[in-house]
């Protein structure tokens, strides 16, 4: 059973938690359940969409909502000049899992099967200094920077009072 509690609720906020299979629960109950939990798994989610942006460091497999978020962000294979659609690409840990790379929004990128193989075989190297910003390094040492569209803007602020 999972209990999802926003971090601000744990700190005394009034956003409801969520009990798997039941639905929303009041903040006080969410805090009590979290306080008695035998363990925690931290999962970073997008504040507006709720999409998972990062998973626990012990999770290699990419959860479906994180897959979707990375594919939407990337749009295509992130290798320079490749236009293979992200839905047909593999998700790759930019810093390999075996080298301490995390399964997170800022360490995953879409690479088509061919370019993923080039990376795995050591021909091309990739860095991701920020989510969606990829630096590709060719076998000759040339670097190529690719970026995604910027994050959508925050929702507009409510209209100020008329007075």
């Amino acid at each position: 059973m999972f209990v999802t509690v926003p971090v601000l609720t744990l700190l005394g906020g009034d956003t409801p938690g969520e009990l798997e299979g039941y639905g929303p629960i009041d903040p006080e109950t969410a805090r009590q359940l979290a306080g008695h939990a035998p363990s925690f798994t931290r999962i970073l989610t997008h504040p507006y969409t709720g999409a998972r942006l990062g998973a626990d460091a012990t999770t290699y497999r990419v959860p479906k909502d994180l897959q979707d978020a990375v594919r939407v962000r990337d749009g295509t294979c992130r290798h320079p000049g490749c236009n293979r659609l992200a839905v047909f690409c593999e998700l790759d840990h930019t810093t390999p899992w075996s080298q301490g790379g995390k399964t997170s929004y800022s360490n995953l990128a879409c690479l088509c099967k061919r370019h993923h193989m080039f990376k795995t075989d050591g021909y091309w190297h990739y860095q991701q200094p920020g989510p969606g910003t990829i630096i590709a390094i060719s076998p000759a040492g040339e670097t190529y920077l690719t970026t995604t569209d910027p994050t959508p803007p925050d929702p507009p602020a409510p209209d100020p009072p008329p007075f």
Side-chain angles (χ1 to χ4, degrees):
M1 176 186 315
F2 294 101
V3 177
T4 303
V5 185
V7 70
L8 293 177
T9 299
L10 288 175
L11 298 172
D14 59 0
T15 303
E18 176 107 7
L19 180 60
E20 181 186 36
Y22 176 78
I25 55 175
D26 66 89
E28 183 56 35
T29 302
R31 282 189 286 274
Q32 287 177 354
L33 289 172
H36 292 90
S39 66
F40 284 92
T41 300
R42 181 187 60 87
I43 300 173
L44 178 64
T45 59
H46 189 281
Y48 300 112
T49 66
R52 189 182 324 222
L53 300 179
D56 187 277
T58 60
T59 305
Y60 172 78
R61 193 169 194 169
V62 183
K64 176 78 169 99
D65 50 355
L66 182 53
Q67 290 178 30
D68 294 344
V70 172
R71 285 192 169 108
V72 167
R73 178 196 71 198
D74 288 359
T76 62
C77 171
R78 297 309 309 281
H79 186 84
C82 186
N83 61 2
R84 180 106 173 139
L85 292 176
V87 296
F88 301 116
C89 290
E90 299 173 349
L91 291 182
D92 176 62
H93 289 78
T94 307
T95 300
W97 175 259
S98 62
Q99 296 173 16
K102 297 187 188 235
T103 301
S104 66
Y105 188 72
S106 60
N107 190 47
L108 292 168
C110 295
L111 290 176
C112 68
K113 192 174 212 67
R114 179 180 186 176
H115 292 120
H116 194 179
M117 182 187 67
F118 286 170
K119 177 186 179 240
T120 301
D121 290 346
Y123 296 108
W124 281 80
H125 302 279
Y126 299 88
Q127 298 170 355
Q128 191 167 180
T133 299
I134 301 292
I135 299 170
I137 305 162
S138 76
E142 297 290 326
T143 59
Y144 303 87
L145 177 70
T146 65
T147 58
T148 58
D149 290 333
T151 333
D154 290 337
D159 292 331
F163 48 90

